[in-house]
Amino acid sequence: MGSGINAAATMGQLRTATRAFAELGLQPAQVLRHLDHLTQGVEQTITTCLYAVYDPHRAQCRVSLAGHLPPALVRAGQAPQLLDLPTGAPLGVGGVAFHTTRIAFRPGDQLVLYTDGLVETRHESIDARLECLLTLLDVPDRPLEETCDELLHVLRHPGDDDDVALLIAQARPRRGTRRARRLLPRWGSKAAM
């Protein structure tokens, strides 16, 4: 997308449109299709996007990509992995199909979202940098803020020009789930009396 005042204004427009489409309850691929249509009317706008919707009741995320690097999934007892998702084309290209993929996202799981500025450099291949990202994520039970700090410290270098956005989302147990399980047997035994 670039930088400067025009890029910031376009990003603001896309953020507002995304919020409006989110309110409609559309599938992620449908949201990207609408955003792609909007960006075709904005001069010289091509941008990548990752759109995800978390459903705590089903313990899953629905994810769609528009030319964006894949998120990493961190799950207890397993090595972190890059999600194998249909990449799609960046927003603004037009006429490209987007796909929604459902992934299990259970309590404790982490979804690591990042922009290309975190892993792209002129001196190393993207594959090597993505492998480094996964290695850095393979530290069980580290607090999320410390993980973000470590990723930024190791993967960013003084003089890197590209902006970086980094977000780690962690699924938590639904409130009341454990309590409800403890109470249900008692209710059942009282009803049987």
Side-chain angles (χ1 to χ4, degrees), residues 63-87:
V63 184
S64 292
L65 301 178
H68 204 280
L69 290 167
L73 179 65
V74 180
R75 184 170 281 155
Q78 298 178 15
Q81 63 178 10
L82 294 174
L83 294 178
D84 187 16
L85 304 172
T87 305

Side-chain angles (χ1 to χ4, degrees), residues 16-163:
T16 300
T18 302
R19 286 183 178 157
F21 295 138
E23 286 293 319
L24 298 175
L26 301 173
Q27 289 291 323
Q30 292 173 303
V31 171
L32 292 182
R33 187 171 48 247
H34 288 297
L35 290 172
D36 184 51
H37 179 72
L38 287 175
T39 56
Q40 290 176 44
V42 180
E43 188 175 321
Q44 297 180 344
T45 297
I46 294 180
T47 188
T48 65
C49 184
L50 180 151
Y51 187 85
V53 177
Y54 172 51
D55 183 344
H57 301 288
R58 291 190 171 121
Q60 69 177 214
C61 271
R62 291 172 290 143
V63 184
S64 292
L65 301 178
H68 204 280
L69 290 167
L73 179 65
V74 180
R75 184 170 281 155
Q78 298 178 15
Q81 63 178 10
L82 294 174
L83 294 178
D84 187 16
L85 304 172
T87 305
L91 300 175
V93 171
V96 178
F98 299 102
H99 304 280
T100 298
T101 303
R102 291 183 188 327
I103 60 163
F105 196 59
R106 297 180 289 272
D109 289 354
Q110 297 174 8
L111 196 60
V112 182
L113 313 173
Y114 53 93
T115 55
D116 60 356
L118 183 66
V119 293
E120 287 184 352
T121 70
R122 293 184 177 141
H123 311 294
E124 293 179 73
S125 73
I126 187 71
D127 291 335
R129 298 284 290 181
L130 290 171
E131 190 60 39
C132 182
L133 170 73
L134 294 175
T135 299
L136 292 168
L137 291 171
D138 200 7
V139 179
D141 301 321
R142 180 171 49 193
L144 299 181
E145 187 172 347
E146 288 180 22
T147 300
C148 288
D149 289 343
E150 181 69 6
L151 293 175
L152 293 170
H153 176 75
V154 173
L155 294 172
R156 296 288 295 164
H157 302 289
D160 286 347
D161 294 332
D162 206 355
D163 295 334

